[in-house]
Amino acid sequence: MSKQSIYKLDGKSPEEVKKSFVHYMGDKNATSKQIKDAANSRYAKIDAIGLVCELCQKHFKVNNVFKVIDAGKISIVSKALTTLINAGGEEGVIKELKNIRSYINKYRDFLTYCANLSEEFLDSTTPYDFINDPDKPFITEEIFNEIVELLFRKKNIILQGAPGVGKTFLAKKIAYQLIGMKKDKNIETVQFHQSYSYEDFIQGIRPTTSGEFIIRNGIFYNFCEKAKEQPEDTFVFIIDEINRGNLSKIFGELLMLIEYDKRSPRYALKLTYSEEDSNRFYVPENVYIIGCMNTADRSIAIVDYALRRRFAFCDIKPEFGESFKNYLGTTLSKEFVNELCLKINRVNDIICASSTLGKGLEIGHSYFCQLSSVEDEREWWQSICKFELFPYLREICFDNEELCDELCQILRN
């Protein structure tokens, strides 16, 4: 059975939706300690939980949660459970409510996954507007529009920031906004690394299965040729970890061709591996480039100054404002969310003020965005600290153990 038939929910009965959910649980959560047998897990039996049925009846006038196939509506159920949890009560009752909320959040994630797959398979051209996006980044509308406008003007931008600030996620949303719709076929994403080369990106000589060698075009070359065939459309090329590659080597003659005022056949060049009679290459004006750069990795070389001139650099900061708090509030208690934000903001203030660290090494918000498996918020926080935040702080404070201990103590208390 194809992915499309499994995860396309329109027209399915509640029992069929449940079967798709069970498949998702086994397929996407096979390593989870809570899910050993997806079909018999409590996650797959949420339609039999009385409280869930009551909430569905109250909000949607249906008595079966699997009749609700909209992730936004399921978020309403999750918020209702959070309200009950925050109201307090016996420890055992609160624990059970948190468990139920965890099951509901997993179902919400399943519905979101199905919706995203539907867009991919159906080549969705749904209009996109940041204001109406229920899954938007946490940055303000003003900053988001400023970045989109900058990309439109400059043609090439780099989103730079500390780990966990959602650069790649934001890049996709910027692409949607620039295109005006969720048109994934007009977006290409690659990730640079130390072995990535000009031959992978633009053009090179490659062996065939028959032992011959031929000139083969790279991913960016093919992307540009596709854009030339549809001059009325907008195309966005996203480069994740752009500063991990040898940029001068990878871009080659593109260092000139990607400039915003060189996007025409007038500036076309003969490529390194091109045949004598080959057409010259240029980057069309309807191609835009978004690079994502991690500012925390000490192993990465400084970006080439020639490349810096071709790109505009946008600082992406950790966001722990109201949008972030509202998102966490769908699963975590309000008091705990405020406590979490106070701790992280205090740590980030110290990091920014440190002469040996600085704002490029702050803790990002995306460390805390995986909420579907939360059963006990304190245990969830302790796990993130122990296995993600503390190792990161030890790495950036490798020459200052005293500072590392201070930062870890703030998070621990």
Side-chain angles (χ1 to χ4, degrees), residues 190-198 200-201 219 246 250:
V190 299
Q191 186 178 79
F192 280 0
H193 50 78
Q194 292 181 349
S195 298
Y196 207 86
S197 67
Y198 176 92
D200 299 313
F201 196 57
I219 189 169
N246 184 330
I250 293 171

Side-chain angles (χ1 to χ4, degrees), residues 330-382:
T330 62
T331 302
L332 309 176
S333 67
K334 182 178 180 180
E335 294 76 11
F336 184 77
V337 170
N338 289 333
E339 180 185 337
L340 180 156
C341 291
L342 284 173
K343 288 180 178 181
I344 297 299
N345 284 328
R346 186 178 171 193
V347 167
N348 280 344
D349 286 344
I350 294 174
I351 290 174
C352 288
S354 171
S355 59
T356 57
L357 299 178
K359 66 179 182 179
L361 297 173
E362 294 170 282
I363 293 174
H365 50 265
S366 64
Y367 283 102
F368 316 103
C369 290
Q370 296 297 322
L371 300 175
S372 59
S373 62
V374 176
E375 293 184 5
D376 183 289
E377 57 190 26
R378 295 285 172 182
E379 291 181 1
W380 169 81
W381 169 252
Q382 290 169 11

Side-chain angles (χ1 to χ4, degrees), residues 250-268:
I250 293 171
F251 277 90
E253 54 268 72
L254 254 67
L255 282 179
M256 184 190 84
L257 299 181
I258 63 173
E259 290 190 62
Y260 72 93
D261 59 348
K262 303 291 192 303
R263 302 292 192 88
S264 75
R266 177 183 174 188
Y267 294 96

Side-chain angles (χ1 to χ4, degrees), residues 262-275:
K262 303 291 192 303
R263 302 292 192 88
S264 75
R266 177 183 174 188
Y267 294 96
L269 294 177
K270 185 177 178 60
L271 297 179
T272 303
Y273 292 98
S274 296
E275 301 284 356

Side-chain angles (χ1 to χ4, degrees), residues 79-293:
K79 289 178 181 178
L81 289 166
T82 298
T83 300
L84 292 174
I85 292 168
N86 291 342
E90 296 181 7
E91 183 177 347
V93 174
I94 296 300
K95 184 175 182 181
E96 177 62 14
L97 287 173
K98 289 180 177 179
N99 287 339
I100 295 173
R101 184 176 61 184
S102 177
Y103 310 147
I104 286 294
N105 287 344
K106 184 63 72 174
Y107 181 56
R108 178 196 62 197
D109 292 347
F110 158 72
L111 295 177
T112 301
Y113 178 79
C114 292
N116 290 338
L117 271 184
S118 295
E119 291 178 0
E120 176 185 341
F121 280 113
L122 299 177
D123 187 28
S124 171
T125 53
T126 306
Y128 180 82
D129 189 354
F130 178 81
I131 299 176
N132 301 318
D133 186 353
D135 189 32
K136 62 167 67 76
F138 298 125
I139 67 172
T140 66
E141 180 187 349
E142 180 182 2
I143 295 175
F144 180 83
N145 289 333
E146 183 180 26
I147 295 174
V148 174
E149 178 62 30
L150 180 62
L151 176 60
F152 180 75
R153 174 176 61 82
K154 184 71 174 179
K155 300 286 189 183
N156 316 306
I157 65 171
I158 288 180
L159 308 177
Q160 62 178 4
V165 293
K167 297 181 289 294
T168 308
F169 178 73
L170 176 60
K172 193 72 171 285
K173 300 295 185 176
I174 291 170
Y176 285 155
Q177 186 76 15
L178 190 69
I179 295 170
M181 57 185 66
K182 293 182 178 180
K183 199 170 184 179
D184 287 331
K185 71 175 185 178
N186 284 25
I187 302 171
E188 188 66 73
T189 304
V190 299
Q191 186 178 79
F192 280 0
H193 50 78
Q194 292 181 349
S195 298
Y196 207 86
S197 67
Y198 176 92
E199 289 75 13
D200 299 313
F201 196 57
I202 309 297
Q203 191 179 74
I205 298 175
R206 297 298 191 194
T208 66
T209 55
S210 61
E212 300 176 329
F213 287 86
I214 61 172
I215 295 176
R216 182 170 295 169
N217 297 325
I219 189 169
F220 186 74
Y221 182 103
N222 290 330
F223 188 76
C224 289
E225 293 303 300
K226 179 180 176 181
K228 291 174 187 177
E229 295 172 1
Q230 304 173 58
E232 300 303 317
D233 282 2
T234 299
F235 290 78
V236 181
F237 197 90
I238 300 172
I239 306 173
D240 194 25
E241 303 287 1
I242 189 170
N243 54 333
R244 285 189 175 275
N246 184 330
L247 300 181
S248 296
K249 180 181 178 183
I250 293 171
F251 277 90
E253 54 268 72
L254 254 67
L255 282 179
M256 184 190 84
L257 299 181
I258 63 173
E259 290 190 62
Y260 72 93
D261 59 348
K262 303 291 192 303
R263 302 292 192 88
S264 75
R266 177 183 174 188
Y267 294 96
L269 294 177
K270 185 177 178 60
L271 297 179
T272 303
Y273 292 98
S274 296
E275 301 284 356
E276 287 297 327
D277 56 350
S278 297
N279 292 330
R280 292 173 177 262
F281 177 77
Y282 69 95
V283 178
E285 62 180 358
N286 60 333
V287 168
Y288 298 81
I289 302 173
I290 303 175
C292 300
M293 188 170 80

